[in-house]
């Protein structure tokens, strides 16, 4: 177990998402960032569950993460497809492979590639809708599982 693995994974996923959506006008936040108040919309927020670690052999290590993305948008009466369009951007931010680099400023942070997170399965989608008709905020959750072999 390397204490830097979570940092390197989080920094690499953050860079991957921001790079994938650089051309789109979308506020992007990870779960460690303070969001402005009031919150902006449309926006994409993401979090990582893990890494979970499995060491089935002396020289084999697997790291597992779950990438969770939440897209939020104000409901539009004139462009009812605006939220599904954001869903597509969220899915675009969850590619099949995410390179993991040793990002950071510490002694072990060499910027070298550590490995590649590979998506295990499909990107799962959950429409969170809105609580009541007066709430105009629409939300869609996206989840994907990844594994990296070291």
């Amino acid at each position: 177990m390397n204490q830097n693995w979570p940092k390197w994974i989080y920094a690499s996923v953050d860079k991957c998402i921001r790079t994938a959506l650089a051309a789109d006008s979308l506020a992007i936040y990870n779960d460690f960032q303070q969001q402005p108040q009031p919150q902006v919309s449309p926006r994409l927020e993401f979090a990582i569950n893990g890494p979970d670690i499995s060491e089935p052999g002396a020289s084999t290590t697997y790291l597992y993460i779950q990438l969770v993305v939440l897209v939020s948008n104000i409901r539009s009466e004139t462009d009812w497809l605006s939220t599904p369009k954001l869903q597509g951007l969220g899915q675009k931010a969850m590619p099949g492979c995410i390179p993991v680099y040793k990002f950071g400023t510490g002694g072990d942070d060499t910027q070298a590639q550590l490995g590649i997170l590979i998506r295990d399965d499909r990107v799962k989608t959950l429409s969170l809708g809105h609580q009541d008709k007066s709430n105009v905020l629409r939300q869609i959750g996206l989840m994907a599982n990844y594994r990296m072999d070291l």
Side-chain angles (χ1 to χ4, degrees):
M1 167 64 193
N2 185 317
Q3 68 185 19
N4 291 307
W5 287 343
K7 173 181 70 171
W8 293 334
I9 289 171
Y10 218 105
S12 297
V13 170
D14 185 271
K15 180 176 171 76
C16 175
I17 289 173
R18 292 179 192 281
T19 300
L21 301 177
D24 303 293
S25 299
L26 186 62
I28 301 170
Y29 302 98
N30 65 50
D31 64 344
F32 294 115
Q33 290 179 295
Q34 179 68 35
Q35 293 190 29
Q37 295 297 328
Q39 292 182 336
V40 296
S41 182
R43 69 179 179 275
L44 179 143
E45 304 167 56
F46 73 93
I48 295 173
N49 295 322
D52 299 328
I53 301 165
S54 172
E55 296 176 310
S59 62
T60 305
T61 301
Y62 302 121
L63 302 179
Y64 302 88
I65 68 162
Q66 181 181 57
L67 177 57
V68 181
V69 171
L70 178 69
V71 292
S72 301
N73 191 36
I74 300 296
R75 184 180 66 218
S76 171
E77 299 302 328
T78 57
D79 183 8
W80 63 272
L81 289 172
S82 62
T83 301
K85 289 177 197 172
L86 287 173
Q87 174 185 341
L89 290 178
Q91 291 167 330
K92 175 181 166 185
M94 303 172 87
C97 298
I98 300 174
V100 176
Y101 296 93
K102 297 178 179 181
F103 289 141
T105 57
D108 293 333
D109 303 327
T110 63
Q111 318 309 307
Q113 185 170 343
L114 175 67
I116 298 175
L117 287 164
I118 299 173
R119 196 174 65 223
D120 286 345
D121 201 353
R122 65 189 184 267
V123 175
K124 298 171 186 95
T125 304
L126 176 64
S127 176
L128 303 171
H130 50 273
Q131 298 295 340
D132 59 57
K133 297 300 179 194
S134 65
N135 184 350
V136 297
L137 183 66
R138 300 272 308 154
Q139 294 185 311
I140 295 176
L142 306 163
M143 293 166 280
N145 297 312
Y146 290 82
R147 182 178 101 177
M148 182 167 58
D149 301 357
L150 297 177

